[in-house]
Amino acid sequence: RNAGPLSGRSIVITSGPTHEPIDPVRYIANRSSGKQGHAIAEAAAKAGADVTLVCGPVTIPEPGGVKVVRVETAREMLDAVKAALPADVAIMAAAVADWRAEGTFGQKIKKDGSGKPPALKLTENPDILATVGNSDAGRPKLVIGFAAETQNLIENARSKLARKGADMIVANDVSPETGVMGGDANTVRLVTKDGVEDWPTLSKQEVAERLVAVIAKSLKEA
Ligand code: C5P
């Protein structure tokens, strides 16, 4: 058994995008690669934690030493996270699709010759971070979310912290020119109720290691 700083702690981590089916061949998705979430899972496992990684459809390799649960949709991700609880820490790094198609089509949607595109009606997905962060019974000691934004980074992160009942938000700018989405580096700002900590540009592995150190310290102080 690993005697690292997170030894004896259980952590559930979400990673990657979700895919929300429209019909048997089409889906709604986003550009998340899963690199940051997977790096956190790997760093936490190396630190001795008992890690469950709930991940959406990704093409990167599974990290070693963690239990991987593969899902496709936001609703499946929520169910898998609930099944992994109770845990000491929840880190929601997945880029969950905010909306899914309201009704899915059993057959591939065809052009009907009218020249009019079909209307796609969307409905909101459950918010996994908010569900876990705002839960009463069995809430993890530490609930951490991400805020990937293209504008008003800190303002949005602060409001997420409150609204989703999180203890920390890892905020990052995902504007296309930053290359964060799908890239190997990340520049994050750690937002807690006590303030904002600016981290330098680091590899996603380094961000993961630093976050693991913050978690270990915070659990020790709790
Ligand atoms: O609201 P927004 O999607 O920007 O919030 C991002 C944070 O919330 C991330 O931690 C993400 O994993 C989490 N989230 C979630 N379920 C959703 C939407 C977001 O867990 N349906």
Side-chain angles (χ1 to χ4, degrees):
R1 201 75 228 150
N2 184 321
L6 290 181
S7 161
R9 307 291 194 176
S10 55
I11 306 194
V12 55
I13 300 170
T14 65
S15 183
T18 63
H19 284 182
E20 310 295 335
I22 296 169
D23 70 14
V25 298
R26 302 184 177 98
Y27 55 83
I28 299 169
N30 63 65
R31 296 184 191 282
S32 169
S33 64
K35 283 180 183 171
Q36 187 61 78
H38 278 51
I40 295 167
E42 182 157 39
K46 278 194 182 137
D50 180 356
V51 179
T52 302
L53 176 65
V54 178
C55 80
V58 296
T59 56
I60 60 173
E62 293 182 355
V66 316
K67 181 185 175 199
V68 180
V69 182
R70 287 191 164 261
V71 299
E72 190 180 359
T73 68
R75 286 180 294 175
E76 288 166 8
M77 188 173 272
L78 175 62
D79 288 344
V81 166
K82 282 182 177 164
L85 295 176
D88 295 303
V89 182
I91 307 170
M92 308 285 92
V96 183
D98 289 319
W99 303 282
R100 67 176 182 274
E102 189 172 67
T104 56
F105 294 77
Q107 305 296 331
K108 184 182 171 194
I109 306 167
K110 306 290 287 177
K111 282 177 280 195
D112 65 6
S114 72
K116 286 198 197 108
L120 195 58
K121 191 151 185 225
L122 301 179
T123 187
E124 203 166 309
N125 266 331
D127 192 307
I128 303 164
L129 174 59
T131 304
V132 174
N134 292 321
S135 61
D136 301 322
R139 182 188 182 278
K141 295 181 192 79
L142 212 48
V143 176
I144 303 173
F146 275 70
E149 303 288 350
T150 57
Q151 53 186 353
N152 303 330
L153 188 62
I154 297 305
E155 196 182 308
N156 278 314
R158 281 223 170 87
S159 96
K160 242 160 254 192
L161 194 68
R163 197 172 70 241
K164 303 197 185 204
D167 301 294
M168 293 177 195
I169 293 283
V170 181
N172 58 354
D173 184 343
V174 292
S175 299
E177 64 274 16
T178 65
V180 167
M181 272 277 189
D184 293 319
N186 206 351
T187 313
V188 311
R189 310 178 74 182
L190 188 68
V191 181
T192 66
K193 62 174 174 13
D194 301 325
V196 182
E197 210 178 279
D198 286 349
W199 291 5
T201 297
L202 299 166
S203 70
K204 288 182 177 174
Q205 277 68 31
E206 290 167 325
V207 168
E209 284 158 17
R210 237 170 130 140
L211 188 63
V212 161
V214 168
I215 292 166
K217 182 162 177 275
S218 152
L219 287 175
K220 214 168 132 194
E221 285 166 358

